[in-house]
Amino acid sequence: VSSKTFRPDVDAPEWKGGHSPYDIIKEGTIALVVVGLLTIILATLFGSPDDHEITIKNWANAAPTDFAMTAINEMNGTTTTAGYGAPYNTASDGQKLGPLTLAKWAGVRIPINTENDFVIRPLESLPYNAQLSSALSTWKAASPSQQTTWVNNYTTAAAKMTFTNGEVMVSTTNSGPVPVFINDLTSMARSGALDTALVQGGNFFSMDYTKPLLFLSDGGYLAQLAQKQHLLGSQWGMMNETNSYPGQAWLWLYTFWYQVSPFSSSANADVQVWGMMMLLSVILLFVPLIPGLRAIPRKVKIYRLIWREHYRN
Amino acid sequence: VSTSIDQQWTTRLRRRVAGKLPPEKLLPDTQPAYVSSWIYVFGVTTMSALAVVIGSGLLLSLRGPQWWHESSIGHFVNSLHLWSVEIFFFAMVVHLWGKFFMGAWRGGRTATWMTGVVTFLASIATAFTGYASQSNFDSQWITTQAKDGINSTGAGAFFNVLNLGQMLMWHIVLLPLAAVVLTALHVLLVRIKGVVPPYEDKVGEAQ
């Protein structure tokens, strides 16, 4: 490169100085041994966290009214999942990045009807029970508007819901079969049968926990436990771990945006933060090609510290 | 005179590889005198931590995904996996900033920088799918939170973080493969292009 066209942030001077001995294999071996030992020491001293998972059975036993309220909300369409939009349903357009409705464009690829998938179908999987069987028949024979009226009447009365002697108690009239559904689903959940019904969906094998996880996260119990473990989004949760272990600390910048305005109060925070992080990632990727940005290291001169021996000579 | 052997794809590929990366470049026994700083340690530390991450991951895979919940040995192997990941990211981030402040893309090293950045991003995705595959309270919470971010981009329609099987497969097959291939490419580019020389003194001081 001639001195006329030499661009200091793009070109590198040709090295005409000396060389020193370098044993790359020895260096790699020493590094591997040191990192291996350090890993063993840290693992021995600190271990790793493994807080047991929460089942729907745990939830319905620890907080039966939270479970039962979530169940009726799955029916009346007011839970997060019920109103989510894509990829689960068409209840809303989902989040928007300016005019872009990215989730909606990708479509409903994991269809979930919370009323049917979380309440009616699991109840249908239960062993024969005359009262429930009759309630399910009544439900199926009713018009959609009749079903909505029953659900809404129950929802209004459910504000005073109690759980007594293993029964969900709601003082309601004209709710049709809904009280039976909510009570039986709560009993089913407390027995552990709902966990299985939601995971398997009629199959013997399953590794897909989409439905039970969505149902669980629609209630208040999971978030209540997460708050105790400082895992909420407002607690920088994405980079935290249970207990005091280091988590995904490298997500600090991603987590940071959720803490500050306008993202902290935006209804479209997720897509905005993702958009921001994608933009920053692309900028990082193209640093060598962006004038100004690529000049920063030359101007801040930290390189003089890194190569201090070279410049001393 | 070019013979038919010279025209063979194999011959041409071998000559090209040998020309770009002769053995003395692939496995050098000397280095330029300016390579003298603690910052150079973090590249090889990242590679070593990656090796320990993969090694501990292979051990975890021997007895299946439930093993580490049920056995103290399995739990210890999980601890090795966790801490090697923490070392891996620490070393990689220091390496990244060190290379930034050296302007390490100079002298035709743009592809080296870019493969490094993509490796960093692929590593974040790999680690995330690992957290999603823990099958404990932490993974329940992380996945139910993270789904909103990924769904909002439209990617959630195809990459379902609540599907344990999908996350585990991405974590133990697809993403590690990507991370290892990218790392290999990155290291080969470093060997082909060599370590970036210092800024010219007069340039540095004149600005």
Side-chain angles (χ1 to χ4, degrees), chain A residues 6 8-15 17-25 27-28 31-32 35-36 38-40 42-44 46-55 80-81 84 86-88 95 102-103 106-107 109-110 207-210 213-214 216-217 222-223 225-226 229 231-233 237-238 240-242 245-251 254 258 270-272 274 278 281 284-289 293-311, chain B residues 26-41 44-45 47-49 51-52 65-66 68-70 75-76 78-87 89-90 93 96-98 100-103 105-110 113-115 117-118 120-121 123-124 127-129 131 134-166 168 191 196-201 203-207:
Chain A
F6 187 86
D9 301 320
V10 177
D11 303 318
E14 197 184 331
W15 177 246
H19 286 70
S20 46
Y22 174 51
D23 192 342
I24 192 171
I25 298 296
E27 181 193 72
L32 185 61
V35 170
L38 184 60
T39 304
I40 291 169
L42 289 167
T44 308
F46 302 113
S48 55
D50 186 20
D51 285 32
H52 205 267
E53 71 264 40
I54 304 303
T55 59
T80 304
T81 306
Y84 202 92
Y88 307 128
Q95 294 195 20
L102 301 171
R109 304 272 172 175
I110 309 163
M207 290 187 74
D208 185 355
Y209 291 81
T210 304
L213 281 170
L214 286 174
L216 198 57
S217 65
L222 187 68
L225 296 178
Q229 295 276 11
L231 292 174
L232 295 187
M238 284 308 288
N240 288 341
E241 243 291 8
T242 46
Y245 286 91
Q248 301 177 81
W250 43 92
L251 294 182
Y254 172 70
Y258 282 96
D270 290 308
V271 73
Q272 289 166 346
W274 268 78
M278 283 180 186
S281 297
L284 183 67
L285 183 66
F286 287 101
V287 158
L289 308 179
L293 208 53
R294 67 188 179 193
I296 291 174
R298 178 169 54 82
K299 289 183 176 169
V300 299
K301 290 186 170 29
I302 288 178
Y303 70 85
R304 291 194 67 88
L305 186 68
I306 293 169
W307 286 308
R308 59 187 177 280
E309 280 189 30
H310 165 75
Y311 291 112
Chain B
L26 181 65
L27 292 172
D29 47 21
T30 62
Q31 63 190 355
Y34 56 81
V35 183
S36 166
S37 165
W38 55 267
I39 198 75
Y40 286 106
V41 168
V44 70
T45 305
M47 292 263 294
S48 302
V52 179
Q66 290 299 314
W68 78 279
H69 296 301
E70 298 154 356
H75 192 100
F76 181 70
N78 179 73
S79 304
L80 293 175
H81 200 55
L82 167 72
W83 287 104
S84 54
V85 168
E86 297 288 342
I87 295 170
F89 273 98
F90 175 78
V93 169
L96 192 158
W97 284 111
F100 176 78
F101 286 114
M102 286 189 253
W105 50 79
R106 292 174 295 127
R109 293 173 179 83
T110 299
W113 171 268
M114 285 184 163
T115 51
V117 171
V118 176
F120 177 56
L121 299 175
S123 301
I124 289 174
F128 168 75
T129 51
Y131 275 88
Q134 290 177 95
S135 59
N136 61 11
F137 174 74
D138 198 37
S139 65
Q140 285 180 310
W141 179 252
I142 286 175
T143 53
T144 51
Q145 293 298 294
K147 76 174 194 306
D148 297 329
I150 294 170
N151 286 344
S152 73
T153 66
F158 312 96
F159 184 80
N160 178 10
V161 297
L162 304 179
N163 183 339
L164 175 64
Q166 189 184 12
L168 188 62
R191 298 284 25 119
V196 73
Y199 287 96
E200 274 189 340
D201 214 13
V203 173
E205 285 169 356
Q207 300 301 312

